[in-house]
Amino acid sequence: MVRPFLLINDMKIICDEKWGAEWIQAMGQRITSSGLAAVLAAPNTQIKEDYTSQLLADLQNIPNHTHEQPERWIVDARDMHERAVGWYGNETDTVPKLYGFIVHESYDWLGFTPDGVISPDGLIHVRYSKTLNSFHKNMKCKSADMNRIQFELLCSGLRWCDYVNYWESDNGSNNKGSIQRVFFDASIADEIEYFCHSFWNQILKAHFSD
């Protein structure tokens, strides 16, 4: 069972650590930042239908392994995340705080896993570039990441987020990173909130009609 939430700087935290069973449970039955692209997608697209099926399975407590990942993938992802956050901390002389899952203060069905929280009013959002070419292309925050960042700021109630673009060379000797500060944009956040409400109402309608 997910433990009662903890309020820190007005953030509603329901899971302390990422990757474990509690974290997987916290993501269930909620719209998350990783699913936002599906929420914003056009009707009847495959990505939207797949996400709808996933959330309905969560609500009906049907065994669903969508959130689970192979152990090797988890270890590699955790290690990469630690190095990226460490790089950011060295560049900015900060120590990002790591939490497992944060939900919206009023809408418990909206939530996300932060890449890091910077006290008292900021987040970090990491984009892992797979190649040096993609690293250069990702120097400026693109619309998909911008939407996820605004969603995360909406859920956390924080004021800004540092978009961290990070790439590692094969031998780890020439790692690169860039930082772009993004501030909360009410116009984008309001539109995202509208689409999330509309999508969630459709999910609930389908759930209770079964």
Side-chain angles (χ1 to χ4, degrees):
M1 178 180 293
V2 176
R3 291 174 298 187
F5 69 85
L6 175 67
L7 276 175
I8 298 179
N9 293 342
D10 294 328
M11 291 185 302
K12 191 174 180 181
I13 300 164
I14 65 169
C15 175
D16 293 335
E17 297 182 359
K18 187 177 180 180
W19 309 115
E22 185 181 23
W23 174 65
I24 293 173
Q25 184 180 357
M27 289 192 295
Q29 303 183 7
R30 290 184 171 91
I31 294 174
T32 66
S33 58
S34 59
L36 185 61
V39 173
L40 300 179
N44 303 317
T45 53
Q46 191 63 51
I47 186 175
K48 204 177 198 82
E49 291 180 357
D50 288 347
Y51 196 49
T52 297
S53 298
Q54 174 189 321
L55 284 173
L56 285 173
D58 285 343
L59 287 169
Q60 294 165 7
N61 293 316
I62 296 174
N64 180 8
H65 303 288
T66 305
H67 303 301
E68 298 178 4
Q69 297 289 352
E71 184 177 351
R72 181 70 253 173
W73 182 93
I74 291 176
V75 172
D76 290 343
R78 183 191 294 122
D79 290 347
M80 173 74 86
H81 181 258
E82 288 178 356
R83 292 192 296 271
V85 173
W87 175 88
Y88 173 87
N90 289 334
E91 290 292 310
T92 60
D93 194 27
T94 59
V95 180
K97 178 65 177 177
L98 304 181
Y99 297 106
F101 202 80
I102 296 172
V103 295
H104 191 286
E105 186 177 8
S106 301
Y107 310 130
D108 187 67
W109 42 271
L110 290 179
F112 74 105
T113 297
D115 287 325
V117 176
I118 311 298
S119 181
D121 57 0
L123 295 170
I124 64 173
H125 176 89
V126 181
R127 159 62 63 184
Y128 300 98
S129 295
K130 295 182 178 179
T131 66
L132 184 57
N133 186 49
S134 64
F135 169 79
H136 290 299
K137 290 182 178 179
N138 292 330
M139 291 286 283
K140 184 176 181 180
C141 185
K142 297 179 181 178
S143 59
D145 282 304
M146 179 63 74
N147 286 335
R148 289 184 65 165
I149 286 171
Q150 294 301 330
F151 177 91
E152 292 168 5
L153 292 173
L154 173 68
C155 290
S156 64
L158 300 179
R159 192 172 66 90
W160 56 264
C161 176
D162 277 346
Y163 166 73
V164 181
N165 176 31
Y166 183 74
W167 171 78
E168 289 187 344
S169 61
D170 290 338
N171 60 14
S173 63
N174 190 31
N175 302 341
K176 295 181 182 295
S178 64
I179 302 170
Q180 176 188 345
R181 180 151 298 186
V182 176
F183 289 92
F184 178 73
D185 187 319
S187 61
I188 298 176
D190 286 348
E191 185 174 6
I192 289 173
E193 185 177 340
Y194 170 82
F195 276 99
C196 286
H197 272 284
S198 177
F199 183 74
W200 189 247
N201 286 337
Q202 293 174 25
I203 293 293
L204 292 180
K205 183 178 179 180
H207 173 61
F208 288 112
S209 66
D210 289 343

